[in-house]
Amino acid sequence: FIFAGSEIYGGLANTWDYGPLGTRLKNNVKDAWRKRFIQERRNSYEVDADILMNPRVWEASGHVASFSDPLLDCKECKMRFRADNLIDDFDPEAHADGMTKEQMFDYIKAHHIPCPNCGKHNFTDIREFNLMFQTYYPNVLRSMRAKLPFSIGQIGKAFRNEITPGNFTFRTIEFEQMEFQTFCKPGEDLAFYDYFKQYGKQFFMDLGLPEENLRFHDHEKLAHYANAACD
């Protein structure tokens, strides 16, 4: 079923190769997931995106700088700028990355930093604009003529940024995962959340896991982008 990765050359910790039987077992699970979450659902579409991407994708997702940017608008020309960039361009020794929003705004005001576009000094307050979770899928929408609510799923490789996590196949550095996201109108999210909790539980039960061994564990501390979350 499974062998140590790179075994004939001394191996590599926490990597595993699936043999003929293990590959079939793993593909059976993926096929069952694809059938249940993609093929049997209306307005549910599968994509297969590359891991290698233009660096701007990672910038837009918040993985390069931060999860949000401190932005402010020029009231005169309506252009929008990052507050830390305005300060660093004005004085590279100011080190805006260590400032709070309030400190950045006070610095811009005290030094009368001008708008790079029109030269005026008339800015709005600094606001945090999240970059990570606003998502657009125009290619899927146009090619499939999808309407809200619709779902997008993908099966693909993923990696953990950890050192020797161990625990056999339950926590490897490289693994495959299935991701499924449903896009809906504002206000409908919690209803879909409750629906897919039960939908996912039924999937596990249909694979043979007994219901008494399954439970939901709500997250006590939610991420800033989440209304609800559970394991």
Side-chain angles (χ1 to χ4, degrees), residues 123-166:
F123 294 107
T124 65
D125 291 337
I126 297 174
R127 292 170 291 172
E128 294 285 348
F129 282 78
N130 189 281
L131 300 176
M132 190 168 185
F133 298 98
Q134 187 169 4
T135 311
Y136 298 92
Y137 285 96
N139 290 337
V140 175
L141 288 171
R142 292 168 184 162
S143 61
M144 304 309 297
R145 299 178 181 177
K147 302 293 184 183
L148 288 175
F150 70 95
S151 303
I152 291 181
Q154 177 173 246
I155 300 176
K157 289 283 188 178
F159 304 89
R160 283 191 180 91
N161 186 21
E162 299 181 20
I163 300 175
T164 61

Side-chain angles (χ1 to χ4, degrees), residues 66-75 78-84 100-102 104-105 108 122-131:
S66 63
F67 288 118
S68 60
D69 279 347
L71 304 181
L72 74 173
D73 298 335
C74 175
K75 295 181 181 180
K78 311 304 180 185
M79 292 292 290
R80 179 170 291 169
F81 305 95
R82 280 183 52 158
D84 52 348
T100 64
K101 286 190 301 182
E102 292 74 20
M104 284 190 287
F105 186 77
I108 292 171
N122 187 13
F123 294 107
T124 65
D125 291 337
I126 297 174
R127 292 170 291 172
E128 294 285 348
F129 282 78
N130 189 281
L131 300 176

Side-chain angles (χ1 to χ4, degrees), residues 14-25:
N14 304 304
T15 61
W16 304 92
D17 295 332
Y18 287 84
L21 296 179
T23 299
R24 186 63 263 161
L25 173 64

Side-chain angles (χ1 to χ4, degrees), residues 18-86:
Y18 287 84
L21 296 179
T23 299
R24 186 63 263 161
L25 173 64
K26 190 154 69 84
N27 285 335
N28 282 345
V29 175
K30 291 194 292 185
D31 291 342
W33 182 89
R34 179 179 285 113
K35 185 173 186 292
R36 178 65 58 88
F37 283 86
I38 304 296
Q39 296 171 346
E40 294 182 351
R41 293 192 54 80
R42 294 185 60 189
N43 293 328
S44 186
Y45 310 101
E46 185 177 10
V47 298
D48 185 1
D50 278 348
I51 293 176
L52 299 179
M53 293 180 175
N54 187 304
R56 291 186 63 190
V57 175
W58 303 112
E59 294 172 8
S61 69
H63 287 84
V64 174
S66 63
F67 288 118
S68 60
D69 279 347
L71 304 181
L72 74 173
D73 298 335
C74 175
K75 295 181 181 180
E76 302 294 333
C77 67
K78 311 304 180 185
M79 292 292 290
R80 179 170 291 169
F81 305 95
R82 280 183 52 158
D84 52 348
N85 288 347
L86 283 180

